[in-house]
Amino acid sequence: MSPLTPLDGRRIRAAVIGTGAIARGSHLPALAELAAEGETEVVAAVDIDAAAVEAFCAAGGVPHAYTDLDRMLREQRPDLVTICTPPTLHRDQSIAALRAGAWVWCEKPPVPTLADYAAVEAEEGVESGPYSSIVFQHRFGSGTRHVRRLLAERALGRPLVVHCQTTWHRDTAYYSVPWRGRWATEGGGPAMGHGIHQMDLMLDLLGPWSEVRAMAGRLVHDVETEDVSTALVRFENGAMATVVNSVLSPDEVSRIRIDCERATVELTHLYGHSNANWHITPAADVSADEADAWRDFGADVPSSHLEQLRELVASMRAGERPRGSGADGRTSLELIAALYKSAFTDATVKAGEIGPGDPYYTAMHGDAPGWAPAATPAEAAISAVSSVNVAPGEEVPA
């Protein structure tokens, strides 16, 4: 499978699926910036709410508004579809776009389960696309690029001790949105919907993990999923990490700290980072000149949807698999599935052990007693809503 028409010498035709906060605040501005650079044009938007999509198109100068995804794909034939809807819709919408020949850029969490991810992968092109990439914008920008290189070259020595923290705060009103806090529609709690960004960045910097031991709890909110989780993670390179994901923390912070043999590197921010959010503390025996070189991050390019989209567009034009797709896009989802399995079974989970036939492959709750949802009329109603083409996505900044 390949793009319907060659991409050389023309703008990439993009469509936005779901017109909620993340589409308005992140996707459309990034597409507009690349449009100003001559790279893209937004040809359509889709939402189940006709008034919402018409207002979105009017405000953003998008020529075509739709309430039906299949019709849009058939009539507009976009090269790229960006998906900004609730997680339960991501699988079917991604598959529909790929089958129509469009590349996909899908908001996190990618899909509710590893089985769903495999189903999307199966629809990708074999050699030159189309591919489905997940929005993991914290991987991108000058700070991450610089630290990734230092770690890869072992300039800081071996990584040893890691802290990965996403301690945010969400109130009762946040969970009044029907699809939040439910396994069927959100896929999980803060590990899945909030901490996934920092865990993905941790994995991007440190490489594969080997085992995880975790706990999860519902301490405040009346939800199906957890509202806090903690985990101990061992990496293949020997490093050991603590991971905390919470929506119970009034003092909100996103943080990664990596203690290496020769330096500590730390990132402290909330929803995005620039060079100034990274700090490197050298060991006592490191020379001032070497430490200064480590601290030279170059021109400041903050993490953003724009930076990831710019790289994705370059991959599209080259016909190459983009970062955040395929096996690379699945890494954080695999860690989260293992975190839940460990927490709900009180056992250490090894990398690679969750596959077809494992209950945690098809549901993040793994049908665990006390965690698997009971069938209710409300759940049935939500499932019925999820069967439509699209739903408005009201994601928080992440």
Side-chain angles (χ1 to χ4, degrees):
M1 195 181 301
S2 60
L4 294 173
T5 57
L7 300 178
D8 293 341
R10 67 174 180 85
R11 292 174 182 263
I12 287 174
R13 293 167 54 82
V16 179
I17 315 303
T19 59
I22 201 70
R24 296 191 304 269
S26 298
H27 284 246
L28 190 60
L31 287 164
E33 177 62 30
L34 289 187
E37 297 173 12
E39 289 284 353
T40 62
E41 59 176 327
V42 183
V43 297
V46 187
D47 199 293
I48 194 172
D49 186 329
V53 69
E54 288 167 4
F56 179 88
C57 289
V62 179
H64 300 289
Y66 288 85
T67 56
D68 184 279
L69 173 59
D70 292 334
R71 180 182 174 189
M72 185 281 293
L73 292 170
R74 186 172 59 252
E75 293 182 356
Q76 297 302 322
R77 298 166 66 86
D79 307 302
L80 171 66
V81 164
T82 76
I83 296 179
C84 309
T85 53
T88 190
L89 303 176
H90 291 175
R91 168 181 166 157
D92 289 348
Q93 292 170 352
S94 296
I95 288 173
L98 289 167
R99 287 179 176 174
W103 291 51
V104 173
W105 194 39
C106 182
E107 269 298 331
K108 62 80 193 168
V111 284
T113 71
L114 288 167
D116 291 328
Y117 193 92
V120 174
E121 276 190 292
E123 300 294 336
E124 292 183 319
V126 176
E127 294 183 357
S128 59
Y131 299 113
S132 178
S133 181
I134 310 305
V135 177
F136 286 130
Q137 75 273 17
H138 291 199
R139 293 189 189 190
F140 297 81
S142 53
T144 301
R145 182 168 57 248
H146 179 67
V147 170
R148 187 188 299 110
R149 180 181 61 79
L150 291 177
L151 291 170
E153 295 175 354
R154 291 294 177 94
L156 309 180
R158 290 185 300 127
L160 303 170
V161 182
V162 184
H163 302 276
C164 180
Q165 175 184 354
T166 305
T167 44
W168 294 359
H169 190 268
R170 298 292 180 262
D171 59 15
T172 302
Y174 175 85
Y175 285 104
S176 67
V177 177
W179 59 268
R180 289 189 178 132
R182 297 177 180 271
W183 295 107
T185 48
E186 196 168 19
M192 188 74 151
H194 304 84
I196 190 172
H197 273 305
Q198 297 315 298
M199 288 188 287
D200 180 77
L201 179 54
M202 175 182 69
L203 294 168
D204 187 56
L205 293 173
L206 292 168
W209 59 278
S210 59
E211 62 181 359
V212 60
R213 185 70 186 254
M215 295 188 296
R218 301 185 194 100
L219 303 187
V220 173
H221 295 292
D222 182 16
V223 292
E224 290 180 351
T225 65
E226 86 287 4
D227 57 15
V228 62
S229 67
T230 63
L232 303 176
V233 180
R234 190 189 306 274
F235 285 84
E236 286 186 2
N237 61 22
M240 299 174 64
T242 61
V243 179
V244 181
N245 302 300
S246 165
V247 288
L248 310 178
S249 308
D251 183 8
E252 296 187 298
V253 67
S254 304
R255 179 172 175 258
I256 291 179
R257 169 177 166 146
I258 305 172
D259 295 322
C260 300
E261 292 173 305
R262 307 186 66 219
T264 292
V265 57
E266 185 170 3
L267 168 66
T268 305
H269 66 115
L270 188 54
Y271 295 140
H273 52 83
S274 64
N275 287 353
N277 296 112
W278 293 86
H279 300 279
I280 297 178
T281 303
D285 60 349
V286 173
S287 71
D289 287 345
E290 189 170 17
D292 287 344
W294 292 346
R295 291 168 173 152
D296 182 4
F297 283 71
D300 190 11
V301 181
S303 67
S304 67
H305 281 69
L306 174 61
E307 286 310 303
Q308 182 172 0
L309 181 60
R310 181 173 279 121
E311 186 173 303
L312 173 60
V313 166
S315 296
M316 291 179 67
R317 294 197 182 282
E320 298 174 347
R321 177 176 287 282
R323 283 201 288 162
S325 69
D328 182 52
R330 189 174 56 244
T331 55
S332 55
L333 199 65
E334 289 176 323
L335 178 59
I336 292 165
L339 183 156
Y340 284 134
K341 181 176 182 178
S342 176
F344 301 160
T345 63
D346 192 28
T348 297
V349 176
K350 304 290 187 180
E353 79 172 55
I354 300 177
D358 190 303
Y360 290 87
Y361 186 74
T362 50
M364 287 290 177
H365 54 71
D367 292 323
W371 289 100
T376 65
E379 184 180 15
I382 290 172
S383 296
V385 170
S386 299
S387 67
V388 299
N389 278 327
V390 297
E394 289 292 341
E395 297 245 2
V396 296

